[in-house]
Amino acid sequence: MGLNQGKSMENAQKISVKNNKSKKNKAWTKEEVNIFLEAASKKGLVAPFLVDVVTGLRRGELLGLKWEDIDFKSKTITINGTLYRRKGEGLKYKPKTKTDSSDNRVIPIPDAIVEVLRKEKALQDKTREKLGNSYNSENLYLLTIKANLSIRII
């Protein structure tokens, strides 16, 4: 069956597009970022959120970061995958990102972020030594015992 070119589009279903003009997404001010990071530091989460504020990573990309994705020498983060929630199965790591063009992109990070990440890695290395075999073997960056996170991915 081919397309009936003799008929107009009069029988086509109407498609409604949701108007998102009421949603106002705006960037945070410097003051708002500082307030947020201060609150995050009280929960031991300043490093991941600081990385997010500076790089603009998607939530799943940030949650899926592994230490091997961070090159301290070249001061870069390579996005190699994403963490997502699958209904009935929990959190899953997918070695690809939302779009093909985002796969394996390299993001430069400033010296201050490199230092914060070095300190965070040192803390996690100490935790790994203390916990031994019960430490997170996936080596995921954000998901640490210290953080005690309840992650809600929508």
Side-chain angles (χ1 to χ4, degrees):
M1 298 195 136
L3 178 65
N4 186 349
Q5 295 176 348
K7 294 262 183 177
S8 68
M9 294 295 289
E10 62 195 15
N11 293 330
Q13 285 184 339
K14 288 191 177 187
I15 299 172
S16 67
V17 177
K18 188 176 181 180
N19 182 346
N20 284 332
K21 288 183 182 177
S22 63
K23 269 189 177 178
K24 292 190 179 191
N25 296 326
K26 65 175 188 126
W28 287 352
T29 65
K30 185 177 179 179
E31 183 179 300
E32 290 169 326
V33 168
N34 286 333
I35 290 168
F36 176 78
L37 290 174
E38 186 177 325
S41 71
K42 292 176 183 174
K43 297 287 185 179
L45 296 171
V46 75
F49 287 123
L50 187 58
V51 168
D52 194 34
V53 166
V54 170
T55 63
L57 294 178
R58 294 180 183 111
R59 179 178 22 205
E61 293 170 342
L62 178 67
L63 294 172
L65 278 180
K66 297 182 180 186
W67 284 113
E68 63 199 45
D69 299 332
I70 299 168
D71 186 334
F72 292 102
K73 190 175 181 181
S74 67
K75 301 175 187 172
T76 59
I77 295 175
T78 302
I79 308 304
N80 290 313
T82 185
L83 196 69
Y84 66 98
R85 184 179 304 279
R86 177 168 281 161
K87 191 174 181 177
E89 296 181 36
L91 295 175
K92 299 286 183 183
Y93 180 80
K94 181 172 126 182
K96 285 194 163 264
T97 56
K98 189 173 182 179
T99 62
D100 288 339
S101 63
S102 296
D103 286 348
N104 303 98
R105 76 183 185 280
V106 178
I107 301 170
I109 51 176
D111 291 338
I113 303 299
V114 171
E115 270 314 300
V116 167
L117 290 172
R118 277 195 175 122
K119 289 177 184 176
E120 180 67 21
K121 185 164 185 348
L123 284 172
Q124 287 189 22
D125 287 345
K126 284 182 184 178
T127 303
R128 181 183 304 119
E129 284 178 27
K130 288 179 186 176
L131 295 176
N133 292 335
S134 61
Y135 188 80
N136 176 4
S137 63
E138 290 292 318
N139 198 25
L140 294 177
Y141 162 60
L142 186 62
L143 302 178
T144 65
I145 299 299
K146 179 186 81 159
N148 193 20
L149 291 178
S150 173
I151 300 169
R152 183 172 171 225
I153 299 176
I154 301 172

